[in-house]
Amino acid sequence: MNIKNFICSLAFLFTGTQFVMGQDTLSLEQAITMALQNNYDIKLVSNDVQIAKNNVNIGNAGMLPNIGGTFDNGGSIQNTIQTPATGDERRANGVRSTNFGYGVALNWTIFDGFQMFANYDRLKELQKQGEVTAKATILSTVSATVSSYFAVARLQQLVHATDSALIISKLRVTIAENKLQIGRGSKLDVLTAKVDYNTDTTLYLQQKNLLQTAMVTLNQVMARDLNSTFTVKEKMSIDAHLKLADLRVQTTQLNPDLQNAFINKKIAELTLKQVKGQRYPVIGVTGGLNHSKSTSPTGFNQKFRADGFTYGLTASINVFNGFLQRQNERNAKVQISSSELNLEKTSQDVTALLLSTYNNYTTNLDLLKVETGNVELAKQNLDITFDKYRLGNISPLELREAQRNSINAIIRFLDAEYQAKLTEISLKEISGTLNIQ
């Protein structure tokens, strides 16, 4: 019997059902959807974007008037003594006076050196910055989800591979014991087979533990019950056609870090515009409607009432404020210089990251091609070696070496595949093209 089919059937009977039964299969699309819906970082940054969006209005920029209402109603009770220039002194106890009034007042700054317009533009840039930050968070979350998903897929395959190796080791023990019973084997072969079986058992348990840990990590990214168990689709499709020239253009246009640095530069320029606006006069209009009435039995007018409106024009200008205006302008210019330097630094950092990641990407693709061939060769070698061992044509040491070569080839292949996928994800995250659907 071919060892591949033999192992597959045994793996299903002994341990495969234990691993799969009772677990749901989670697709990558489902994982990304859950992460986008549930992830706490995305929810928090979405709230920040909503606040920034709410702040973008002409009222918040200072373009609209302020209108306020007033109301007062009061009085007093007094004991009075009045001594007029002529006449006798007059005394009154418990004199009650009242006053009542209400009104509406308007204050409207109609010119402030264009500061209000600069402020409005600044609010719009802050909204853009919030949206860019949200995009970066979403890309980061999707990247973490995809990476964690394929980490589970890799470890899931490693568990299957080590489980298959464990079955072979168990068969070795059985064969060695049978040979010993019929006088064709030795006690040493039995002991060696059992040691190798225990070694493979340890590796199997370690891989299972790593798989459970990877599942917890993926559940955490998806913000769901950390104890949820599942299986994933193991096929790892890798985009092997990414071009550096295209990635450069996309990075320049879509990278969130670059976009953020560019927006910071625009905000610094608008801040300077606001500061310069303080050199101009501030002109405003005022107006109001008022109604008031009062009573004062001991006053000149015992009753008083007034209705009317007020209006006016105000203007003020900063003549001298201890050279603070010039200092603030200088500081604003320094901030622009810093933002330009930060933009250049960010551009260089992102480009360096893109280049190094692309180099890793191409290297991992080459390694994957090599290891793909190695896996098939190692499997064929193990098939032949196992058949010869069952017939007694080779020693247990040779079988063990073939078994070790096979599992190592599978591990190297899965590592190369996983690393190639990781660098692909990183390149798409850097260029801002990672699919979030």
Side-chain angles (χ1 to χ4, degrees):
M1 177 186 291
N2 183 281
I3 187 173
K4 185 188 299 183
N5 297 329
F6 185 65
I7 292 175
C8 287
S9 60
L10 287 177
F12 177 79
L13 290 174
F14 285 97
T15 59
T17 53
Q18 179 182 357
F19 181 76
V20 175
M21 288 182 62
Q23 295 184 352
D24 297 328
T25 300
L26 178 70
S27 69
L28 179 60
E29 292 75 13
Q30 290 172 330
I32 293 175
T33 299
M34 279 189 280
L36 293 177
Q37 291 177 348
N38 303 331
N39 185 269
Y40 294 112
D41 290 334
I42 292 180
K43 288 182 178 180
L44 290 171
V45 78
S46 297
N47 289 341
D48 293 337
V49 171
Q50 186 60 48
I51 292 173
K53 183 179 180 180
N54 294 340
N55 287 338
V56 181
N57 59 78
I58 57 177
N60 200 30
M63 296 182 183
L64 297 180
N66 293 322
I67 301 176
T70 60
F71 174 85
D72 66 89
N73 184 17
S76 64
I77 300 176
Q78 298 178 335
N79 298 325
T80 64
I81 301 176
Q82 294 179 324
T83 305
T86 59
D88 298 331
E89 181 180 82
R90 290 182 297 177
R91 295 175 176 267
N93 295 325
V95 176
R96 183 183 181 89
S97 300
T98 63
N99 59 78
F100 173 81
Y102 58 85
V104 179
L106 175 145
N107 291 284
W108 190 1
T109 300
I110 58 176
F111 180 78
D112 64 351
F114 307 106
Q115 293 182 65
M116 63 181 70
F117 299 102
N119 191 34
Y120 185 63
D121 291 337
R122 182 174 177 273
L123 291 173
K124 290 191 288 186
E125 292 301 321
L126 288 173
Q127 180 185 355
K128 291 180 184 178
Q129 190 174 55
E131 292 169 351
V132 168
T133 302
K135 178 185 175 182
T137 303
I138 291 173
L139 286 174
S140 176
T141 301
V142 172
S143 176
T145 303
V146 177
S147 300
S148 300
Y149 183 90
F150 287 115
V152 173
R154 169 181 167 273
L155 287 165
Q156 194 169 283
Q157 293 178 81
L158 279 176
V159 168
H160 290 156
T162 53
D163 182 47
S164 299
L166 187 62
I167 293 173
I168 295 177
S169 296
K170 180 63 177 176
L171 289 174
R172 259 189 67 197
V173 173
T174 301
I175 293 172
E177 289 176 342
N178 290 338
K179 287 183 177 180
L180 179 63
Q181 290 177 359
I182 62 176
R184 295 181 57 188
S186 67
K187 183 66 174 178
L188 179 61
D189 289 343
V190 174
L191 295 176
T192 303
K194 288 183 178 181
V195 169
D196 290 340
Y197 174 77
N198 291 336
T199 301
D200 292 341
T201 301
T202 299
L203 180 60
Y204 172 71
L205 294 175
Q206 289 173 340
Q207 295 299 334
K208 281 191 67 176
N209 179 64
L210 291 174
L211 176 59
Q212 294 299 324
T213 302
M215 285 185 180
V216 171
T217 300
L218 181 55
N219 284 329
Q220 182 180 15
V221 175
M222 294 186 295
R224 69 171 187 171
D225 184 6
L226 299 179
N227 295 316
S228 298
T229 58
F230 53 89
T231 59
V232 300
K233 298 179 180 179
E234 297 177 350
K235 183 174 177 56
M236 201 176 298
S237 176
I238 299 173
D239 186 354
H241 305 289
L242 299 178
K243 303 298 181 184
L244 182 59
D246 296 336
L247 291 169
R248 280 180 179 271
V249 174
Q250 293 164 343
T251 299
T252 302
Q253 297 174 347
L254 302 175
N255 181 268
D257 292 335
L258 281 176
Q259 290 179 330
N260 230 333
F262 182 75
I263 291 174
N264 281 331
K265 179 176 175 292
K266 293 187 68 175
I267 291 175
E269 292 169 348
L270 290 170
T271 300
L272 176 60
K273 188 175 180 181
Q274 283 182 291
V275 173
K276 285 185 174 181
Q278 297 173 7
R279 289 183 176 273
Y280 295 88
V282 177
I283 301 174
V285 295
T286 62
L289 295 173
N290 297 284
H291 168 80
S292 63
K293 63 181 180 179
S294 62
T295 61
S296 180
T298 59
F300 181 78
N301 293 319
Q302 293 187 351
K303 291 184 179 181
F304 174 82
R305 176 172 176 167
D307 295 283
F309 66 92
T310 60
Y311 58 90
L313 179 69
T314 63
S316 62
I317 187 170
N318 175 27
V319 178
F320 178 76
N321 65 348
F323 303 110
L324 291 179
Q325 177 65 31
R326 184 170 61 179
Q327 172 187 307
N328 293 338
E329 290 182 14
R330 287 176 176 174
N331 290 340
K333 291 177 181 178
V334 172
Q335 287 296 330
I336 293 177
S337 176
S338 296
S339 65
E340 291 173 346
L341 292 172
N342 183 64
L343 178 58
E344 293 176 5
K345 180 180 181 300
T346 302
S347 178
Q348 186 181 56
D349 291 345
V350 170
T351 302
L353 181 60
L354 177 67
L355 291 174
S356 60
T357 305
Y358 189 80
N359 289 335
N360 292 334
Y361 166 75
T362 55
T363 300
N364 289 330
L365 289 179
D366 292 337
L367 290 173
L368 181 58
K369 292 178 183 178
V370 174
E371 297 301 339
T372 301
N374 283 339
V375 168
E376 186 59 32
L377 292 174
K379 284 182 178 179
Q380 292 178 11
N381 181 56
L382 182 59
D383 284 345
I384 296 172
T385 305
F386 186 75
D387 288 338
K388 289 184 176 181
Y389 175 74
R390 292 179 64 196
L391 296 173
N393 295 332
I394 63 173
S395 67
L397 184 60
E398 292 177 277
L399 174 61
R400 182 61 179 174
E401 184 65 21
Q403 184 184 10
R404 185 182 295 111
N405 288 338
S406 178
I407 191 66
N408 287 340
I410 293 173
I411 291 174
R412 289 196 307 270
F413 166 76
L414 293 176
D415 286 344
E417 186 180 46
Y418 181 59
Q419 291 302 321
K421 188 64 180 180
L422 288 184
T423 49
E424 176 209 326
I425 295 168
S426 296
L427 285 174
K428 291 181 177 180
E429 183 181 4
I430 293 168
S431 62
T433 58
L434 184 61
N435 185 14
I436 61 176
Q437 299 300 325

